[in-house]
Amino acid sequence: MIGVMLTLACLAGARAQGLKDAYKDYFTIGVSVNNFNVTVPAQMELILREFNSITAENVMKPGEIHPSEGVWNWEAADRVADFCRKNGIRLRGHCLCWHSQFCDWMFTDQKGRPVKKEVFYQRLREHIHAVVNRYKDVVYCWDVVNEAMADQAFALPGQEAIPYRNSRLYQLCGDEFIAKAFEYAHEADPDALLFYNDYNAAQPDKRDRIYNMVKKMQEAGVPISGIGMQGHYNIYGPSEEDIDAAITLYSSLVRHIHITELDVRLNTEMGGQLQFSRGASQPVPSYISLIQEDQYNRIFKVFRKHADVIDNVTFWNLSDRDSWLGVDNHPLLFDENYKPKRAYSIVRDFDPAWDARTPKEDFIPSELNQPGQLYPMVNSEGYARVRVDAPDAKSVIVSLGRRGGTVLRKDKDGIWTGTTERPEDEGFHYYHLTIDGCRVNDPGTHNYFGSCRWESGIEIPAHDRDFYALRSDIPHGVVQEVLFYSPSLGKMQSAMVYLPPTYGRFVKGKQQERFPVLYLQHGWGENQTSWSRQGHAGLIMDNLLADGKIKPFIVVMAYGLTNDVQFGKIGEFTAQEFETLLVDELIPFIDANFLTRPEKWSRAMAGLSMGGMETKLITLRRTDVFGYWGLLSGGVYAPEEIGDPSQVRLIFESCGSKEFPEGIDKSITALKEAGYPAVGYISEGTAHEFLTWRRSLREMAPLLFR
Ligand code: XIL
């Protein structure tokens, strides 16, 4: 008991851990704060749970703290510093010298005339000394110079390009102000880490400008100890390759890299200067959230890879509500109500074992591809790779992968490619593409009826795929379509009928053989074609027959009318209409047109998923019609629902090991104890998908009609 309680406590502890705990072996996790964040108790609590580094969003900036000569606003900055002191949190100082929110008074004298740079330096030095000294005990690093490099290098014809931002600072001092600011900060606190901080620091041109400047400064002895990459990203970029390359390059110069201002906005701008998307919070389409989650996943993977040089990652603001980008940009891990978004758990609950893994490059076309189509591909480990030609698209997502979607990335030729983050389960998967929010099929593959429409399909070769292989050494039966009129529906219906290879043969001196029939139902969203196409029911039957594992029987696969059932209304589903169609219309049609044995002990009904629900409802109501019952990922029977055990010769229940195998085991035990002929089967390593049901048919078929 105590053991159990300890385990539960540990689990709860593991679940309750914040970002800072999840990343304790990697880097500190910071947040930039406004006044509310450090005064509203619930927000303070959130900060203390999740973060172990803090940056003041505005109140330590030169123009805020020192708006005119001799005037100091310490109060708000002190509040942030005291919050950190009180809670033992490290404070990143932001910032000492910047063209924006700066002490513009430093550039002019009392009469408004420009001052000489010596006067400016004197004022800057006093400012830096005063601020650094005041917070020395709690600030461990400073963004000394912010955003000094140009977004685009500018050159007049015949002149050398200027890599610097053409700010008032630059106009007065050239790049010397950078060196001076670092020197002053170092004088004031020789122990503090001193950062050059900028946005778009992963963009290759700007990256090189930053690199060259820092290198030049270091060679001149300027005490720059770190580079801050702001990280004002968007959901489409930068690419992990660009971030990775920038970190790698910077780490050849400095031993400390901080991601100082991370957010991942929904609109397409990027960087530290932008048009704000102000306005109320609008709901985010799910495909947009998925792209954001994917971007967060990608960039944190890169950050973790570089944990040797990255020692802090700071989010720019606490929640979407606080974001300087406006709440409708939804750029952070906490939503406008301070609740963690899905992106939060993706960032927090990473699995280090998977970080360094890459798929084996032995991809081959999926066996379900249309003739001549290379993509989608699968590799020997079960990874899937999809490629789409959509040069003008803004986003392409494939509905494969463990989070329900894999985001593709576009190359320079307009070709989008994406590989699932991990191997997929073996077997068949339905999928589709979402191109700019529009759901479409992949032109590379054949289509299969699922989700109430024809969807793309991909097959991850299963290790045991031989049992549904199309063999050349054995006789094959036929799957044919029959068309029949349904008086209850007032229209024609179609069903697929599997006939074994020996069907219709005259046995010498005897009549034609008559066969038992299995009525086999598909799941919700599927139709009469699903079992034979993606389920390979016919091939499974052929192979079992050829291997002597079953006696021949007919399989009838009808449309179970399931697609008219709304998903939320499954609880109210009675299968009454389908019962009429099946028992009063289709079965008489089959018995009249095929060589069947028209009696209960030669008739079975089984179904997968929603077809299992139909099977259960109909077999229990029409015990006179079916002698063998099978539920494949389709629920269970309870002894008290059935009554007399002699009215059924087999109850087969199955599911995938990734579904709810305990439920099957429990039900089978109870049924057996109550005297019912029950058999259970769990398909190893599969979920609510067709490999589970192919295997279930293989296991169930030999038990029928014995
Ligand atoms: C932003 C603040 O978040 C806003 O509240 C303010 O109005 C403007 O500045 N790069 C930086 C940060 O280094 O200081 C900026 O912060 C965002 C861009």
Side-chain angles (χ1 to χ4, degrees), residues 635-636 653 655 659-669 682:
V636 293
E653 295 173 351
C655 74
E659 297 189 78
F660 188 52
E662 303 80 6
I664 299 292
D665 293 342
K666 220 176 118 197
S667 158
I668 295 294
T669 310
I682 306 300

Side-chain angles (χ1 to χ4, degrees), residues 32 34 55-58 61 64 94-95 98 100-101 143 146-147 197-199 230 232 260-261 263 265 271-274 276 278 316-317 322-325:
S32 84
N34 59 35
T55 306
E57 181 186 10
N58 283 305
K61 288 173 181 172
E64 308 285 323
H94 178 83
C95 53
W98 187 22
S100 179
Q101 293 174 287
D143 290 330
N146 202 24
E147 303 179 356
N197 189 46
D198 213 332
Y199 62 85
Q230 289 187 5
H232 293 295
T260 54
E261 305 181 17
D263 45 25
R265 71 190 69 161
Q273 319 280 299
L274 72 158
F276 294 91
R278 293 291 184 214
W316 202 249
N317 301 118
D322 301 302
S323 171
W324 72 302
L325 301 170

Side-chain angles (χ1 to χ4, degrees), residues 420-433:
T420 54
E421 205 185 355
R422 296 193 191 168
E424 297 290 281
D425 285 350
E426 293 185 350
F428 174 84
H429 308 286
Y430 296 107
Y431 77 97
H432 55 260
L433 303 168

Side-chain angles (χ1 to χ4, degrees), residues 160-176:
E160 222 179 293
I162 302 170
Y164 298 99
R165 176 187 296 279
N166 189 15
S167 65
R168 255 173 124 173
L169 292 155
Y170 182 76
Q171 285 162 11
L172 181 63
C173 315
D175 65 5
E176 192 188 43

